[in-house]
Amino acid sequence: MLNAQELDGLGLVAPFRSRRLFCEFLPVGYELTTLDSVEDRRKVVELKVLLGTLITLYDDYADRPDRFNPRLLKLLYRIPFERVTVDPGTLDREELLALDLAKSLFAKLLTGIERLRNYYLLSDVFCFDLKQFFLANHYSELLTQHRFLGNEGENRLYLHHNMGIVLAGMIDLMNVPRFTVADLGPARNLFLLGQRAGRISNVLTTYDRELEEDDRTNELLVSGDPGELEAELATLLQKIETGKGINCFSAREYARGIRALHELHLKLKGVI
């Protein structure tokens, strides 16, 4: 999992975040939703914890008005795709710490997935999905900057990518021995359903905190009906469980994991 130095770095750049998020919610959540046929589960979960930590780090600079920093985010978005060097005089100490931490975490993540058995089959798709997360995070920036931009259509269209569940699923597929390219489309369809389900869980359990922080990204601010979201979540879980066309892992077990992730959200409400 995260080492002591990484946790200390997170404590400096995100002191408002509970360590339980990084040491409990992320490891347990990723373990619950890891595909049943993955080889070396521990290593795969460790890589996904790095991913979830990066998502959290980027997210906080986009949707918290007291941390809002589009200048830093422009640099952070470049890290996985190009060499990023900056004049230290242009950033303050915390910004430099955040930039260095993101570089270190991404280096570990990308080096780790390169060693997975199916990496070269799926790396270009993984990069595409990473860009979808960055797009979602950029939309969060716009919501923070333009208070009247929020609407249900765009919220549902973009912000589920902030969950990173499709990205996590791709890391899983990179280490599934029985994976074939014929499984890719049906698997990604299932991951998208899981990602929407995870988004609903997050929306329902973080609403009070985000309202207090003046976070404008919560879907309930534009839909206003938790009952409809709960009904949609139940429908999504049924669709995942009955997923077809996948031979390399069990859709039923994946649905069980997404259901357990919802319970974990409820258990750690106020922590995440």
Side-chain angles (χ1 to χ4, degrees), residues 1-11 19 22-23 46 49-50 53 101 104-105 108:
M1 301 305 167
L2 299 177
N3 60 39
Q5 183 178 2
E6 290 160 348
L7 287 170
D8 287 344
L10 287 164
R19 283 204 174 195
F22 305 107
C23 299
E46 287 177 352
V49 169
L50 294 172
T53 303
L101 179 60
S104 174
L105 293 173
K108 284 180 66 175

Side-chain angles (χ1 to χ4, degrees), residues 210-238:
E210 292 179 341
L211 195 63
E212 183 178 344
E213 295 169 354
D214 197 26
D215 183 334
R216 309 303 299 173
T217 63
N218 193 288
E219 189 173 329
L220 287 176
L221 292 175
V222 288
S223 67
D225 192 341
E228 284 188 8
L229 290 181
E230 289 167 354
E232 183 185 351
L233 177 60
T235 300
L236 286 165
L237 290 170
Q238 290 179 342

Side-chain angles (χ1 to χ4, degrees), residues 16 141 178 200 257:
F16 45 85
E141 290 182 61
R178 301 198 308 271
I200 291 173

